[in-house]
Amino acid sequence: MVGVATLGAVSLLGGCGFETRQQAAAVVNGKVIHESDVRETFDQLKAAKLDFAENIVVTALVAAPLLKDAVATSGSWKPDATYASVISSIPGATDTTKEFVAAVALIQSQKMTPADVAAYRADLQKADITVNPKYGSVVKSDQGPVYFTIGQQTPNWVKPAANPAPATPSAAQ
């Protein structure tokens, strides 16, 4: 499980200040991913003609530190030609954009060893991840490469009935 990933907005960032809560897209083990950074990364990717939805940007940014830690021990992946090529196409890439590109390049490289994947999955299980409801919630998966997605469990086009059926009176009143 991904810890307390689906906590409500009230407890989204319990230990952080109110201003931080207002600006967070997600928090991973206490590290805030700011909405402004998500938006800037999204805009930089779009300008480079790389089409990723905002919830995918948040997903990759949530996974990025865990992926980085998983391959740090084995050294199975370091920023490579794919990473360098993408970063060179994004003038003034922010650190957050670089984190996103590194996570995607690592995943696409398929160079994670089985031990790397096991370490990543173990860290993911222990991770304290909260997500701003604006982006949806963490949806766990047994499918790699990140073993979770961030999105809506109920599609936003599904609306509850406007006039729900009235409750029937109980026989034992």
Side-chain angles (χ1 to χ4, degrees):
M1 295 192 162
V2 184
V4 286
T6 57
L7 289 179
V10 173
S11 62
L12 178 64
L13 305 170
C16 300
F18 181 74
E19 185 176 338
T20 301
R21 279 189 292 244
Q22 294 296 334
Q23 299 170 357
V27 179
V28 181
N29 295 329
K31 181 182 181 255
V32 176
I33 300 168
H34 295 278
E35 281 199 63
S36 59
D37 292 334
V38 169
R39 188 68 194 167
E40 189 167 19
T41 296
F42 173 82
D43 290 343
Q44 287 185 334
L45 294 168
K46 189 173 183 174
K49 307 230 183 307
L50 300 169
D51 190 25
F52 291 95
E54 282 187 326
N55 68 313
I56 299 299
V57 172
V58 175
T59 300
L61 293 175
V62 165
L66 303 173
L67 289 166
K68 182 179 177 182
D69 288 349
V71 298
T73 302
S74 71
S76 62
W77 186 86
K78 301 257 188 265
D80 57 11
T82 300
Y83 171 84
S85 174
V86 172
I87 291 300
S88 70
S89 73
I90 304 172
T94 64
D95 288 343
T96 306
T97 298
K98 291 175 184 176
E99 286 177 44
F100 174 87
V101 173
V104 172
L106 165 60
I107 290 165
Q108 289 181 345
S109 76
Q110 299 183 354
K111 291 187 177 179
M112 288 181 75
T113 66
D116 294 340
V117 173
Y120 167 74
R121 291 191 74 184
D123 287 349
L124 182 61
Q125 294 294 333
K126 296 183 292 187
D128 182 10
I129 302 170
T130 53
V131 177
N132 185 322
K134 166 184 175 178
Y135 299 102
S137 59
V138 173
V139 179
K140 294 170 268 158
S141 170
D142 287 330
Q143 302 297 311
V146 294
Y147 299 96
F148 73 96
T149 58
I150 294 177
Q152 297 173 333
Q153 291 185 11
T154 303
N156 62 2
W157 49 267
V158 176
K159 302 287 183 210
N163 296 319
T168 54
S170 161
Q173 287 188 11

